[in-house]
CSV table of all heavy atoms in Angstrom, one decimal:
chain,number,residue,atom,x,y,z
A,15,SER,N,69.4,125.2,41.2
A,15,SER,CA,67.8,125.1,41.3
A,15,SER,C,67.4,125.4,42.6
A,15,SER,O,68.0,125.5,43.7
A,15,SER,CB,67.5,123.5,41.0
A,15,SER,OG,67.7,122.8,42.2
A,16,ARG,N,66.0,125.6,42.6
A,16,ARG,CA,65.3,126.1,43.7
A,16,ARG,C,65.4,125.0,44.9
A,16,ARG,O,65.8,125.3,46.1
A,16,ARG,CB,63.9,126.3,43.4
A,16,ARG,CG,63.0,126.7,44.6
A,16,ARG,CD,61.7,127.1,44.2
A,16,ARG,NE,61.6,128.3,43.4
A,16,ARG,CZ,60.8,129.3,43.6
A,16,ARG,NH1,60.0,129.3,44.6
A,16,ARG,NH2,60.8,130.4,42.7
A,17,ALA,N,65.2,123.8,44.5
A,17,ALA,CA,65.3,122.7,45.4
A,17,ALA,C,66.8,122.7,46.1
A,17,ALA,O,66.8,122.5,47.4
A,17,ALA,CB,65.2,121.4,44.9
A,18,THR,N,67.8,122.8,45.4
A,18,THR,CA,69.0,122.8,45.8
A,18,THR,C,69.3,123.9,47.0
A,18,THR,O,69.9,123.7,48.0
A,18,THR,CB,70.2,123.0,44.8
A,18,THR,OG1,69.8,122.1,43.7
A,18,THR,CG2,71.6,122.6,45.3
A,19,ARG,N,68.8,125.1,46.5
A,19,ARG,CA,68.9,126.3,47.4
A,19,ARG,C,68.2,126.1,48.7
A,19,ARG,O,68.8,126.3,49.8
A,19,ARG,CB,68.3,127.5,46.7
A,19,ARG,CG,69.5,128.4,46.2
A,19,ARG,CD,68.9,129.7,45.5
A,19,ARG,NE,68.4,129.4,44.2
A,19,ARG,CZ,67.7,130.1,43.5
A,19,ARG,NH1,67.4,131.3,44.1
A,19,ARG,NH2,67.2,129.9,42.3
A,20,TRP,N,67.0,125.4,48.5
A,20,TRP,CA,66.1,125.2,49.9
A,20,TRP,C,66.9,124.0,50.6
A,20,TRP,O,67.1,124.2,51.8
A,20,TRP,CB,64.9,124.7,49.5
A,20,TRP,CG,63.9,125.8,49.3
A,20,TRP,CD1,63.3,126.1,48.1
A,20,TRP,CD2,63.4,126.7,50.2
A,20,TRP,NE1,62.5,127.3,48.3
A,20,TRP,CE2,62.6,127.6,49.6
A,20,TRP,CE3,63.7,126.9,51.7
A,20,TRP,CZ2,61.9,128.6,50.3
A,20,TRP,CZ3,62.9,127.9,52.4
A,20,TRP,CH2,62.0,128.8,51.6
A,21,ALA,N,67.4,123.2,50.0
A,21,ALA,CA,68.2,122.1,50.8
A,21,ALA,C,69.4,122.6,51.6
A,21,ALA,O,69.6,122.5,52.7
A,21,ALA,CB,68.7,121.0,49.7
A,22,LEU,N,70.2,123.6,50.8
A,22,LEU,CA,71.4,124.2,51.4
A,22,LEU,C,71.0,125.0,52.6
A,22,LEU,O,71.6,125.1,53.6
A,22,LEU,CB,72.1,125.0,50.3
A,22,LEU,CG,73.0,124.1,49.4
A,22,LEU,CD1,73.6,125.1,48.4
A,22,LEU,CD2,74.1,123.5,50.1
A,23,ALA,N,69.9,125.9,52.5
A,23,ALA,CA,69.4,126.9,53.6
A,23,ALA,C,69.1,126.0,54.6
A,23,ALA,O,69.4,126.2,55.7
A,23,ALA,CB,68.3,127.7,52.9
A,24,GLY,N,68.3,124.9,54.3
A,24,GLY,CA,67.8,124.1,55.5
A,24,GLY,C,69.0,123.4,56.2
A,24,GLY,O,69.1,123.5,57.5
A,25,ALA,N,69.9,122.9,55.5
A,25,ALA,CA,71.2,122.3,56.1
A,25,ALA,C,71.9,123.4,56.9
A,25,ALA,O,72.3,123.1,58.1
A,25,ALA,CB,72.2,121.7,54.9
A,26,GLY,N,72.0,124.5,56.3
A,26,GLY,CA,72.7,125.7,56.9
A,26,GLY,C,72.1,126.0,58.3
A,26,GLY,O,72.8,126.2,59.4
Side-chain angles (χ1 to χ4, degrees):
Chain A
S15 78
R16 177 177 293 232
T18 315
R19 259 181 280 165
W20 275 110
L22 279 177

